[in-house]
Amino acid sequence: MSKKYVYLFSEGDASMRNLLGGKGANLCEMTKLGLPVPQGFTVTTEACIKYYEDGEKISDEILEQIYEALEKTEKLVGKKFGDPNNPFLVSVRSGARVSMPGMMDTILNLGLNDETVKGLAKLTNNERFAYDSYRRFIQMFSDVVKGIDKSKFDEIFDRIKEREGVINDADLSADALKDVVEEFKALYKKELGEEFPQDPKNQLIEAIEAVFRSWNNPRAIVYRRLNDIPGDWGTAVNVQAMVFGNMGDDSGTGVAFTRDPSTGENRLYGEYLMNAQGEDVVAGIRTPEPISKLQEVKPELYKQFVEITQKLEDHYRDMQDIEFTIERGKLYILQTRSGKRTATAAIKIAVDMVNEGKITKEEALLRVEPKQLDTLLHPTFNPDALKSAEPIAKGLPASPGAATGRIYFSAESAVEASERGEKVILVRVETSPEDIEGMHVAEGILTGRGGMTSHAAVVARGMGRCCVAGCHDIQINEAEKYFIAQGKKYKEGDFISLDGNTGYVYGEAIETQIPTVTGDFATFMGWADEVRTLKVRTNADTPRDAAQAVEFGAEGIGLCRTEHMFFEEDRIPAMREMIVSRTEEQRRKALAKLLPIQKADFKGIYEAMEGRPVTVRLLDPPLHEFLPHNEKDIKALADQMDMSFEELKGIVDSLQEFNPMLGHRGCRLAVTYPEIAEMQARAIIEAAIEVNQEKGYNIVPEIMVPLVGEVKELEYVKAAIDKAAKAVMEETGVEIEYLVGTMVEVPRAALTADEIAKEAAFFSFGTNDMTQMTFGFSRDDAAKFLDDYYDKGIFEFDPFSRIDQVGVGKLMETAVKLGTSTRPDIHLGICGEHGGDPSSIEFCHKIGLDYVSCSPFRVPIARLAAAQAAIVTKEGK
Amino acid sequence: MSKKYVYLFSEGDASMRNLLGGKGANLCEMTKLGLPVPQGFTVTTEACIKYYEDGEKISDEILEQIYEALEKTEKLVGKKFGDPNNPFLVSVRSGARVSMPGMMDTILNLGLNDETVKGLAKLTNNERFAYDSYRRFIQMFSDVVKGIDKSKFDEIFDRIKEREGVINDADLSADALKDVVEEFKALYKKELGEEFPQDPKNQLIEAIEAVFRSWNNPRAIVYRRLNDIPGDWGTAVNVQAMVFGNMGDDSGTGVAFTRDPSTGENRLYGEYLMNAQGEDVVAGIRTPEPISKLQEVKPELYKQFVEITQKLEDHYRDMQDIEFTIERGKLYILQTRSGKRTATAAIKIAVDMVNEGKITKEEALLRVEPKQLDTLLHPTFNPDALKSAEPIAKGLPASPGAATGRIYFSAESAVEASERGEKVILVRVETSPEDIEGMHVAEGILTGRGGMTSHAAVVARGMGRCCVAGCHDIQINEAEKYFIAQGKKYKEGDFISLDGNTGYVYGEAIETQIPTVTGDFATFMGWADEVRTLKVRTNADTPRDAAQAVEFGAEGIGLCRTEHMFFEEDRIPAMREMIVSRTEEQRRKALAKLLPIQKADFKGIYEAMEGRPVTVRLLDPPLHEFLPHNEKDIKALADQMDMSFEELKGIVDSLQEFNPMLGHRGCRLAVTYPEIAEMQARAIIEAAIEVNQEKGYNIVPEIMVPLVGEVKELEYVKAAIDKAAKAVMEETGVEIEYLVGTMVEVPRAALTADEIAKEAAFFSFGTNDMTQMTFGFSRDDAAKFLDDYYDKGIFEFDPFSRIDQVGVGKLMETAVKLGTSTRPDIHLGICGEHGGDPSSIEFCHKIGLDYVSCSPFRVPIARLAAAQAAIVTKEGK
């Protein structure tokens, strides 16, 4: 028997999300619940996958099933495709397993042609409505299915409006709209050399194919990459009978959330527009009314709607985002889904629902996307700095947080500025899917038009970016790259600040500050800590970072880099003196100067960590990084060092490397100059002894040897460390426990981890370098070609952001297996940047690491991700 | 029961080589055979290992066993340690599992002190001899055991000779020698603050410890690295009763080979000196007599000796290198071992012994060290060039081959010059173990003193270096860096040429040429081909190299690099035009110019290979390698390209990479610019079709995609190749089979080889890059610190010369396992430089590769190594 590729809404349910997509599964579920859902059917994600397998062609088998479902739906609705007397019209929408807002293209009013438009006019007794629907359909079909630039249609439309002396679209007469339709069809023919398709079935199949194709458009690919969505899931297609919100003043359309998606407050929240189609609300072209106003206008209908929303929230046990349409006074539900929400709202809703007895703590923990917490850890304005600031404009507080940066008026220039290291505010009249990357790099987004559910608002909340939307107080000129507020011109590159919680815009840079973990957030994180088994440490090189991380719940330091300590102005001279030494004796003299400095650094960090474990990594970067490279600076340093320019230049040149990443660094430095490791070990041990004595802690320093690839390297460096530690203990008369372990970052370390574990008390995976060496490309150099890799579908995500489980992950698993085979109690962690990435954290949990270590601001994210990993693993998902 | 650490010579045999060392095992074996071997005992290699385990200390247990063996030996000899009336004297020599000539230190005459020297004088009635022996012992002991510079002793000795008006050492009187002894002892006390040890037992233990220590001296470490000897074998120590070749004119000492070690001719070959100790022969201080002369001088003794040598050769079934001493007319055999020999000799001996019915073909194949064949493949002089050359001097033809290069007078300057890329001839008065590295980098070695068994001669033959030794015609001044021949001065950096087959030295550079495989060599290689299962291909980029490789027996090309083709002067402009193109169209235009050039290259190579398989690798290096980098060259190119300097400079700068090894290269180029791969595929296919038609071959081109780390890379590039191939076949109307495969060099390729094999018809291991990425260091940058790694015992061999089986090898095994799991018939090869290294070839055989590919000159080496691997694996060794 052939596979089922098409499901009527009455044939599925919410559990079939992978097959029917989120939208389709929920349409089925709502149909099952008896809610007023327009009839329709879903073409499955498997049909999409088969479409690609078949060389971008819908097979006959699937075509047949579509026609069959269409026929059944026609019967249910009592209308027929192409019937001039009672034409059946449908919407065609994409619907993937997870919601991808704005990514996939939608077509409304499909089924209209030169004949059925007349039938629709007669049937509705509204010729104007009928031709308005037809011209919308032609434009959408031409744009989405055929790729004709929609601005060409806008030009025609604007010209006819001008001719008619009309400003509002709604004031165009039926005759004028007929002219529009004729000109649109002519444009279509001119562009494609063929007539606009009149057969509704052909329209439908072409539209379905367009949805399938849109799965792999560049915007979708970028969105998937940013959101870790696999490219082989495919999208489903939903074909649904049209209902019209634009049939007059007794019609309308809107979007509502069962709780406030910004704050999480338990109240119905949404917007609607009367006499409008859905796209008018979402695109933010007209500014809609708050949902509460519907109660005044249509109290009965409002009551019915509220009941439905509560039913849906109770049914799904989560806050719902619901689209509805009123057609001539009758309510239809077009879609429901778990609503996107800010992190604040997500946490409040999760905590509230536990308190309301609706969900368990573990369910609550799974409800919040760890990455989203980022928002809560974002700066807010320094209240003192804010006092003296006067807003220059106010818009809608569309996505919370505070942001300060230089303004740019296109996604492209925003990306460029961000690459230059600037903090960016993206300013747009309104955003569209093309702006995704610009929004991603921006600190905040400011738009001139659109409401709380406009594209900018929805996407910004999803990304955790601060957003002020629909700011009518300012006049934006994107082409000339400025906006005017209160008569003053703000040009590209000027500073402004946005408050996403209030909607205020400030015409200057305002100092920001870090929030703390309190209230619902603290409660929620407490639940996470109860559940997780993975410890969370932080990567911190300064007492300040260490203290911040402790504030955020860090349980230790997983990576304290020592090289940053040497770059500071008062230290670099001694470091350089050490590097240019020609004898071990000279080098030891310079190292003696560095010793008290290092020791003071470590004492500060131990104090900030209050007795929690601290892993210190020995000097890692190649020595030439500490030396100047241009002639002028070399000359200055030579004078300072009392050397000749030629001599110093010779040293600088001799330290140059072809591939610094693969050069004289890591433990290789300690093999050549064991005295450096000795100095560092001495500083680490002396500092620990002193802080233990001063504070009564029992610090067990963890000394980490980087870049080991062969056990004998570790043996050699460990001997130098032990020698220094022994000397310190003899001098001070104090015995102290300490651990020596290693980074596992070189592939060979993973491959020989059984041997290395014999010498190492702990492994810490350095997944940054391991990714570079396993793939054979450096992060810096790969930036140039990785875009080609994404565009061509070779990579689906950035292996430097998310652990490549297939390759790098295999090495990690090997290392864990081999390492524990010779040292069962070996302590295992990760200190690469992946340690703050949720999917990577889940992987670390699965392969049995003891802890992850990440930057201070990622610590809460890691705590939640670790909790989710524990829950998911327990549930065997 | 305690372990046995000490064996009397009567307690062991030849099979115990691993425990007793080669020398010790053979002394036992000869004792067993009833040959006249002085009594003694061997301290085992396990004792050496335990010495290091115990922190460089001989345990009491071992000390006891030594004393016990000493006592038993004393009884056998009938003398006693320290007995002034009949003193027992011994030699102490190292003896590892394999011979390490010159590496380990020897002490003679141990047991002498102020008392026993008098006894020896009385006993031998030769006071002069006794004190001469004592002064030798003091000097050797002080140097070898205590590290006192021997030149300090030479100064004293020379001063006293001058005082006495004596030129030859032998003319010094007993009284003068007593003075020497007194001054030597005074020097010892001054240097060490203690008296010269008088207790023979203490002397013995200190000497044994010195031998153990010498296992890890820098020369030994270098030798082991050059010869692939593991550092954990340890050395045994042989303690043997002294016999004296310097007791007068009825005494003597010598060395002989049972066949000629230079030519392999079946005749006794050797040298001896009357009234001398062994060190006098080996060090080459006096020029010895040929062994044949002994027949005239001592016919009876000669006959006895010849019988023994024949017995030993028959017993060991191999050519023997035998040391002997005549003490007052009685013959003693001090050592026998399989003799070092030139490659020519090795092959002749092996072939002769098979013909003599003494060994099997398989045994013969195992008798020749594959690396040694290198010598036979070394250049000889171009006879025409030689015609016009006049020798400036003649020395001993100590190691065959022809060499031309610039002269250097120290190992250090030779190494430096070699690193600059110069061809070097090392010129020394005589060589010592300190010169090993200089000899290794040299094309040839010329010495002023020493015979055919001098250090220079033995080591040069072992290394396969051309050597002219004992060249008295020239006056060498090492300090001033010149030599004088026929009144003319040759300074450092001047060219000379050496003929190691004739001993002639030429004062100019002479063109050299490549030998062919004929005679015994051809017979021998034929046997190798019968036995081996591994195919041998070659790495060749030009028809000339390809033809040379076929001459040497290559069965195909495993790696034809295409980038070298673009560097030639007539091609680089089109290549550069391609690189600086701003559009695909421009790039295709430039590629169209390169197409006929590439095609012609491939046709030439196919023709040279006469239908054998050819694997062509697509463009690999980063594009910036093809562009100029300094301002002047960029300016010139800009003019030539009709671009502004700024524009071209911009392109050059934008192509710069932080880590070119990890940058935009390999298949990454083809992902970005698939049109490059298309052009190359077209050239490959078109060339194959044309050559097939012209020559009637059936070439199946193998197209190799480099640097793949992810199967989708290969899929993408393969699609471009297939597209081009299909187009060519359609245009020409000729169907042709071709294969697309990949390099496995990126670690991730090995880790995901099951996926990659689904798309790859073959894998070729690129072990150069794989070694770099697995260890995380680049070959160029590692050169700076690898010496530290060898010195500190962290690495024992160069992983770029010999496959690191533990790490890189594990990845290779993984790739073989995974690759064959999804494509059981996948064709597997190696094309990294390791493909020409015998131990790596054995590894490749073991893990199941189908072929190795190496440079043309390594093809015979690989054929033999492959045969040995097959034999050894079959024997389950």
Side-chain angles (χ1 to χ4, degrees), chain A residues 654 656 658-659 661-662 668 671-672 713 716 748 751 774-776 778 781 784 788-789 792 804 810, chain B residues 654 656 658-659 661-662 668 671-672 713 716 748 751 774 776 778 781 784 788-789 792 804 810:
Chain A
S654 75
Q656 276 314 314
F658 299 98
N659 295 282
M661 178 77 56
L662 303 176
R668 298 162 197 161
V671 168
T672 311
E713 290 177 316
Y716 183 84
R748 195 174 187 277
L751 296 165
T774 305
F775 277 93
S778 88
D781 297 308
K784 279 187 203 163
D788 289 326
Y789 272 56
K792 296 178 175 178
D804 158 48
K810 199 180 271 185
Chain B
S654 76
Q656 275 316 311
F658 299 96
N659 295 282
M661 178 76 56
L662 303 176
R668 296 161 197 162
V671 168
T672 310
E713 290 176 317
Y716 184 86
R748 196 175 186 276
L751 295 165
T774 305
S778 88
D781 297 308
K784 279 187 203 166
D788 289 326
Y789 272 56
K792 296 178 176 180
D804 158 49
K810 197 181 272 186

Side-chain angles (χ1 to χ4, degrees), chain B residues 522-818:
Chain B
T523 307
F524 184 79
M525 293 312 298
W527 296 344
D529 292 344
E530 286 168 19
V531 166
R532 70 188 162 91
T533 54
L534 208 54
K535 298 266 177 198
V536 176
R537 292 194 182 187
T538 190
N539 299 349
D541 311 339
T542 63
R544 201 180 133 187
D545 283 356
Q548 178 64 64
V550 169
E551 186 88 357
F552 283 154
E555 297 163 289
I557 287 181
L559 174 64
C560 172
R561 300 177 199 85
T562 52
E563 50 270 18
H564 293 178
M565 301 174 181
F566 296 125
F567 280 110
E568 285 175 39
E569 214 167 323
D570 56 330
R571 293 137 179 235
I572 191 109
M575 188 65 186
R576 288 174 166 170
E577 193 184 320
M578 193 278 286
I579 293 168
V580 303
S581 296
R582 270 140 302 184
T583 64
E584 185 183 324
E585 194 190 335
Q586 285 181 326
R587 200 159 33 247
R588 284 194 184 274
K589 224 174 98 191
L591 285 166
K593 292 186 198 167
L594 289 169
L595 175 65
I597 299 174
Q598 279 260 288
K599 184 170 146 185
D601 288 329
F602 295 137
K603 286 188 70 173
I605 286 169
Y606 288 140
E607 284 160 9
M609 292 308 291
E610 299 167 340
R612 294 177 183 83
V614 174
T615 304
V616 180
R617 181 176 74 183
L618 299 185
L619 192 67
D620 185 55
L623 297 181
H624 53 75
E625 285 195 6
F626 298 95
L627 295 182
H629 289 102
N630 68 55
E631 298 229 334
K632 202 182 125 218
D633 292 348
I634 293 175
K635 205 161 160 39
L637 180 61
D639 290 347
Q640 187 187 323
M641 295 264 164
D642 205 18
M643 301 175 84
S644 75
F645 169 78
E646 289 69 25
E647 189 179 1
L648 183 57
K649 180 79 167 57
I651 293 174
V652 170
D653 287 348
S654 76
L655 287 172
Q656 275 316 311
E657 300 192 299
F658 299 96
N659 295 282
M661 178 76 56
L662 303 176
H664 197 187
R665 49 179 286 247
C667 68
R668 296 161 197 162
L669 293 173
V671 168
T672 310
Y673 311 117
E675 53 277 11
I676 300 177
E678 283 174 36
M679 180 283 280
Q680 293 200 294
R682 175 173 277 274
I684 292 165
I685 301 289
E686 286 185 357
I689 289 176
E690 290 180 20
V691 175
N692 277 348
Q693 287 175 336
E694 288 160 15
K695 302 280 180 178
Y697 298 149
N698 181 24
I699 300 163
V700 178
E702 301 173 5
I703 301 175
M704 180 153 74
V705 181
L707 219 69
V708 165
E710 156 62 44
V711 64
K712 287 185 189 163
E713 290 176 317
L714 180 57
E715 277 173 23
Y716 184 86
V717 180
K718 195 176 167 186
I721 294 167
D722 288 343
K723 182 177 144 195
K726 197 176 159 203
V728 173
M729 293 188 222
E730 278 168 7
E731 288 161 23
T732 57
V734 179
E735 289 287 317
I736 180 170
E737 197 188 334
Y738 64 96
L739 304 175
V740 179
T742 182
M743 299 274 283
V744 174
E745 48 192 336
V746 173
R748 196 175 186 276
L751 295 165
T752 62
D754 42 354
E755 289 303 314
I756 292 174
K758 291 180 190 163
E759 297 292 327
F762 59 86
F763 282 171
S764 179
F765 287 99
T767 45
N768 296 353
D769 272 10
M770 189 174 260
T771 299
Q772 301 194 83
M773 292 173 194
T774 305
F775 278 93
F777 50 65
S778 88
R779 189 172 188 158
D780 292 331
D781 297 308
K784 279 187 203 166
F785 58 79
L786 281 186
D787 279 341
D788 289 326
Y789 272 56
Y790 302 132
D791 290 347
K792 296 178 176 180
I794 294 172
F795 282 1
E796 290 186 348
F797 61 87
D798 176 2
F800 293 111
S801 302
R802 181 180 169 186
I803 288 176
D804 158 49
Q805 298 186 11
V806 175
V808 176
K810 197 181 272 186
L811 277 181
M812 292 173 72
E813 287 181 273
T814 300
V816 169
K817 210 178 110 205
L818 293 177

Side-chain angles (χ1 to χ4, degrees), chain B residues 479-495:
Chain B
E480 306 275 317
K481 301 178 186 173
Y482 66 82
F483 71 76
I484 291 174
Q486 298 180 339
K488 196 182 153 194
K489 197 186 251 188
Y490 294 84
K491 297 184 305 294
E492 182 177 79
D494 287 349
F495 273 104

Side-chain angles (χ1 to χ4, degrees), chain B residues 410-415 418 424-426 434-445 463 465:
Chain B
S410 71
E412 200 183 354
S413 58
V415 168
S418 160
V424 168
I425 304 285
L426 180 65
E434 280 81 9
D435 293 320
I436 290 264
E437 288 202 276
M439 295 173 77
H440 197 252
V441 301
E443 305 295 311
I445 298 124
M463 285 180 174
R465 290 296 169 285

